[in-house]
Amino acid sequence: LLLLCYAEEAAVIVSGLKNTDVFVGESATFTCELSHPGVKNVQWWLDGSPLHNNFVTEISEQDGMIHTLTLNDVACHDSGTVTFRAGPLISSAKLLVKGILLLE
C-alpha cells in the first residue's frame, strides 16, 4: 500500500498593503490579498496594538483571500504603521493622517 502525501502549498501575499494618506475625519482602507484561503491567525495591528472589529474599525474578509481593514473617522493620532499578519505572513504600510489647515 503506497500512501502519497502532498504538502499543502503555503499561502503567499499576492498584493500587500499600500501606504495611505488621508485627511482628518476621512476613512483609510487597507487591503491585503492572499494566494489562497485557509490561513489561520489573521490579525490587524496599528503601531503594535491589535485592532478589533467595531464601529470605528471595520475588518472584513472576502473568499478567505482578500482581507480589508477600514479605519473610519481617523484623527491625527491614528497616523502610524498598519500591519496585517496571517500566520507567518506579514505586510505593513504607513498611514498618514493630515490635518486640515483653516485659513481665516
Side-chain angles (χ1 to χ4, degrees):
L1 180 63
L2 181 62
L3 292 176
L4 296 177
C5 294
Y6 295 96
E8 186 177 310
E9 185 182 335
V12 295
I13 294 175
V14 176
S15 174
L17 304 184
K18 302 201 173 21
N19 291 343
T20 302
D21 293 8
V22 294
F23 286 104
V24 168
E26 292 182 338
S27 295
T29 299
F30 294 87
T31 301
C32 190
E33 183 178 349
L34 303 179
S35 57
H36 53 267
V39 179
K40 304 271 189 284
N41 301 324
V42 172
Q43 179 69 61
W44 289 91
W45 306 77
L46 177 57
D47 274 348
S49 298
L51 297 173
H52 303 284
N53 208 8
N54 56 44
F55 64 97
V56 177
T57 306
E58 295 176 29
I59 297 171
S60 64
E61 180 183 302
Q62 184 181 336
D63 301 328
M65 298 190 306
I66 299 173
H67 297 266
T68 304
L69 166 70
T70 300
L71 301 172
N72 293 309
D73 194 21
V74 295
C76 288
H77 67 261
D78 291 318
S79 292
T81 302
V82 173
T83 304
F84 170 79
R85 295 185 75 160
L89 305 174
I90 297 178
S91 180
S92 294
K94 295 281 188 207
L95 169 61
L96 176 62
V97 180
K98 299 180 280 194
I100 299 171
L101 185 61
L102 297 176
L103 299 175
E104 306 249 341

